[in-house]
Amino acid sequence: MIEDALINEDALINEFSKYFGTSPKYFIKAPGRVNLIGEHTDYNGFPVLPISILSSVKVAVSLRHDKKIVIKNISPDYRPVTFELTEEIPHSKQGHWVNYVKAAATTLASHFNNNLLGMNALFDGDIPKSAGLSSSSALVIASALALLTANKSEMDPLELAELMAEGEHYTGTRGGGMDQAVCILGKKNKALKFDFFPLRYSYIPFPQDHSIIVAHSLINASKTESSMHKYNTRPAECHLAVALINAVYKPSQPVKLLGDLPNRDFFNKFVNIEKFIRNTFDHESYTLLEIAGLTNETVDSLTKKYLLNRDGNLLPEPENGFLLPIRVLHILTEAERVEKSCDALCRNDTVGFGKLMNVSHQSCDKNYDISIPELNILVSIMSESGALGARLTGAGFGGCAIALVRDENCKNMIEKLCELYYNEYIKENHPDIFRNLTIDNKIIFEVKPSQGAEIKAV
Ligand code: GLA
C-alpha cells in the first residue's frame, strides 16, 4: 500500500476530474533515489548500491479509447501536452518534461507492437528537480507504469527496468540502468546492489540507527544541453577506452564493456589495476584521431559509434582530449569499492563503509571529474561535522552531496551545513542564489531507504 500521507489523493482526484471530466482509475508512485556508492559504474556493467527515497512522482491515470496520451501536471510550470501513442513518437524540444513521458510511451508502444491504448494522466511530484536524485527516471517509470496499468498490462519488474533504461536514451542521455531499477525495485530499510547485463539485484542491510543526510549544492545538475554533454562524454570515454583495450590486447573475444575485464585472463595477469592502466595507455589524453589510428578505425566510424546520441545530437570532442586512463581508473576502483561496501554493510561495519564513500568521492572528483567546488565543500563540511562518510551522489556536475550519519547526529549535521554552506559559502560565493534562497527540507533533508514504485486502484 502507498503511504497515504505522501499522496495528496484528494487534490489529484479533484484536479483530474476538473480537467478530464472523469475520475482516475489508478494512482502510481515512482520514487527518486540516492546512490550510496558506485558512480557511473552501471553503464560499464559494474554494480551500484542505491536506495529509494520518499520523494516521488505521482500520477493519477485512466485509459482512453483512442491512441492519444493527454498529460497534465499539477504544477503550472509544466504545460499540458497531447500526443499520439505510436512506435516512433517525434521528440519535443530538448529538456521538455513531455520527452520523459514520450520515452516511456514510445518504448512500450514498440514492445507491445502498438497494441496499447492512450491515457489521461495527471502528474504531481516532490523530488527536487535537477538535484541528481533521479526525478527524470522517476517520471519515465511513473509514465510507463501508468500506461501499463491503465491498459491492464503487466511486465516483469526486471524486464521493465531494463526496457526503460534503454528507453530513456530517447531523451538524449546515455545513462545506465541504476535509476530505473531502484525506482521499481527499491525496498524499505534496504539498500540494493544491482548488477547489469542482465539486470539482477540483492538486498544489502542498511545500518540501523543511521540516516543519509542529503544536501543540495544549489548548482543544478539538469540533464539538458551542456550538462547532458558532460554526462554523455563519460560513457563515450569508457567505450573508447574499451576499443583501445581491444586494440592493445587483441582478445579472441573482444571486450564489450569495462565490466567484462575481471573475467579476462589478460586483465587478471596484472597484479593491480594501476599496473594494467600503465601497461595499456601511453598517454594521459587521446584525440579521436589518435584513437582512430590505434584502433584501425576512421574518425567517422568512431564518431558514429560513440559520439552520436539517440536524439541526433553529436557530442563535441573535449578540449583536453579523452582522458582515458583516469576514467578507467575510476571505474575499475569504484567497482571494487562497491563490492567492499556491500561486505562492510553486511558486517555492519559503518566506519569501513564510510571510508569507502570518502575515497569514492575523491575518485569521482580527481579521476572521473564529475564533482564541482560546491560539492567538494559540502563533502568536507560533512566530514568535519561527524559524517562516517560523505560523497556526491548521482551523475555529478551539480546536484546533491550525501553523508552517512548516526541518527542522533543528524540534527547537528543539518545545523552545521545550514550555517557553513548555505549561510556562509553560498551567501559569499553565490549572492544571486542566496537572495532567493529558502533553506527548507527540499534543500537539505535526511532519508532512509523507502519502498520502490507502487500502484493502487482508486
Ligand atoms: C545518472 C544515470 C545513472 C548513473 C548515474 C551515475 O543518474 O542515469 O544511470 O550512471 O548517473 O552513477
Side-chain angles (χ1 to χ4, degrees):
M1 278 294 289
I2 302 182
E3 288 170 52
D4 286 336
L6 295 175
I7 289 192
N8 190 344
E9 285 187 14
D10 289 345
L12 270 176
I13 289 177
N14 283 342
E15 187 67 25
F16 190 101
S17 308
K18 216 162 62 192
Y19 192 74
F20 293 111
T22 53
S23 305
K25 290 281 178 286
Y26 301 98
F27 279 115
I28 318 286
K29 187 194 89 163
R33 63 99 188 93
V34 155
N35 188 20
L36 299 180
I37 197 161
E39 227 57 88
H40 288 250
T41 43
D42 56 356
Y43 51 77
N44 286 297
F46 277 123
V48 294
L49 189 64
I51 59 172
S52 285
I53 60 174
L54 269 186
S55 311
S56 61
V57 169
K58 288 111 187 166
V59 204
V61 64
S62 70
L63 190 69
R64 289 181 62 95
H65 297 291
D66 56 17
K67 289 259 179 197
K68 285 198 178 0
I69 301 227
V70 185
I71 58 168
K72 178 172 163 55
N73 203 302
I74 287 266
S75 158
D77 296 348
Y78 304 94
R79 279 188 300 111
V81 185
T82 300
F83 63 89
E84 201 69 19
L85 176 60
T86 69
E87 289 162 276
E88 303 249 339
I89 303 175
H91 289 87
S92 298
K93 205 170 127 249
Q94 197 180 52
H96 194 298
W97 78 290
V98 72
N99 280 333
Y100 296 90
V101 186
K102 286 183 169 181
T106 195
T107 309
L108 287 176
S110 302
H111 186 79
F112 286 94
N113 298 319
N114 217 3
N115 276 327
L116 297 176
L117 287 172
M119 63 175 175
N120 291 331
L122 177 65
F123 289 79
D124 193 7
D126 61 356
I127 308 174
K129 223 186 109 201
S130 306
L133 301 176
S134 189
S135 58
S136 328
S137 299
L139 180 52
V140 172
I141 297 300
S143 308
L145 290 174
L147 191 57
L148 281 173
T149 313
N151 276 278
K152 296 198 167 33
S153 297
E154 276 184 37
M155 276 185 76
D156 169 73
L158 287 171
E159 195 192 351
L160 179 62
E162 278 189 320
L163 190 69
M164 287 303 137
E166 186 58 38
E168 198 173 318
H169 289 189
Y170 170 93
T171 65
T173 51
R174 298 167 164 218
M178 164 171 68
D179 301 346
Q180 301 78 5
V182 68
C183 181
I184 294 175
L185 290 148
K187 181 108 177 133
K188 196 164 183 179
N189 297 330
K190 300 282 181 204
L192 282 92
K193 179 191 180 211
F194 287 104
D195 284 277
F196 299 91
F197 313 118
L199 179 64
R200 51 221 192 270
Y201 68 99
S202 51
Y203 295 125
I204 302 293
F206 183 83
Q208 272 187 358
D209 310 321
H210 289 71
S211 294
I212 297 289
I213 300 284
V214 183
H216 198 318
S217 64
L218 304 180
I219 308 299
N220 282 346
S222 60
K223 283 222 187 118
T224 53
E225 288 153 32
S226 72
S227 295
M228 182 119 82
H229 278 328
K230 283 189 207 153
Y231 177 89
N232 284 342
T233 304
R234 295 296 175 270
E237 284 173 320
C238 293
H239 288 125
L240 289 168
V242 165
L244 216 66
I245 289 168
N246 282 325
V248 172
Y249 298 97
K250 301 186 177 46
S252 52
Q253 270 240 279
V255 171
K256 287 203 184 105
L257 296 168
L258 292 174
D260 295 341
L261 289 175
N263 300 322
R264 296 308 180 90
D265 291 342
F266 75 82
F267 174 74
N268 288 324
K269 77 172 204 270
F270 290 97
V271 287
N272 58 38
I273 291 168
E274 288 74 11
K275 283 242 163 79
F276 166 75
I277 288 179
R278 271 203 300 277
N279 192 69
T280 311
F281 301 101
D282 290 338
H283 320 308
E284 282 176 10
S285 156
Y286 291 80
T287 63
L288 207 55
L289 192 63
E290 279 167 337
I291 300 172
L294 292 164
T295 55
N296 253 333
E297 298 228 29
T298 61
V299 166
D300 223 36
S301 78
L302 286 181
T303 305
K304 281 203 189 94
K305 272 200 229 165
Y306 304 118
L307 302 183
L308 192 62
N309 296 335
R310 234 183 87 186
D311 65 354
N313 279 314
L314 204 62
L315 280 176
E317 193 169 340
E319 260 174 39
N320 303 333
F322 295 101
L323 305 177
L324 303 185
I326 50 173
R327 303 299 188 243
V328 176
L329 181 64
H330 168 75
I331 295 300
L332 295 178
T333 57
E334 184 78 350
E336 283 191 347
R337 284 187 286 273
V338 175
E339 300 293 352
K340 288 184 184 157
S341 297
C342 294
D343 293 346
L345 288 174
C346 287
R347 292 191 309 269
N348 199 23
D349 174 9
T350 48
V351 172
F353 173 53
K355 285 185 184 152
L356 290 160
M357 290 176 78
N358 296 336
V359 182
S360 167
H361 182 77
Q362 292 307 321
S363 178
C364 285
D365 181 26
K366 300 274 173 319
N367 298 330
Y368 221 56
D369 197 15
I370 56 171
S371 191
I372 53 169
E374 288 77 5
L375 285 170
N376 293 343
I377 291 190
L378 273 175
V379 165
S380 59
I381 299 173
M382 286 166 160
S383 303
E384 282 156 24
S385 324
L388 289 152
R391 57 186 298 281
L392 63 80
T393 190
F397 309 110
C400 294
I402 56 167
L404 176 69
V405 258
R406 294 191 61 80
D407 285 341
E408 68 260 27
N409 294 339
C410 284
K411 195 165 163 272
N412 177 49
M413 161 104 23
I414 289 177
E415 278 168 14
K416 275 272 172 324
L417 286 162
C418 287
E419 179 194 330
L420 299 175
Y421 187 71
Y422 300 110
N423 286 320
E424 274 182 25
Y425 179 83
I426 289 291
K427 189 175 177 187
E428 271 167 36
N429 295 281
H430 296 285
D432 43 330
I433 297 180
F434 188 77
R435 225 168 287 131
N436 302 313
L437 177 63
T438 320
I439 308 171
D440 59 13
N441 61 3
K442 290 201 185 89
I443 303 284
I444 179 161
F445 51 98
E446 47 189 279
V447 295
K448 288 182 189 275
S450 293
Q451 196 59 31
E454 293 172 273
I455 299 166
K456 176 169 140 176
V458 174

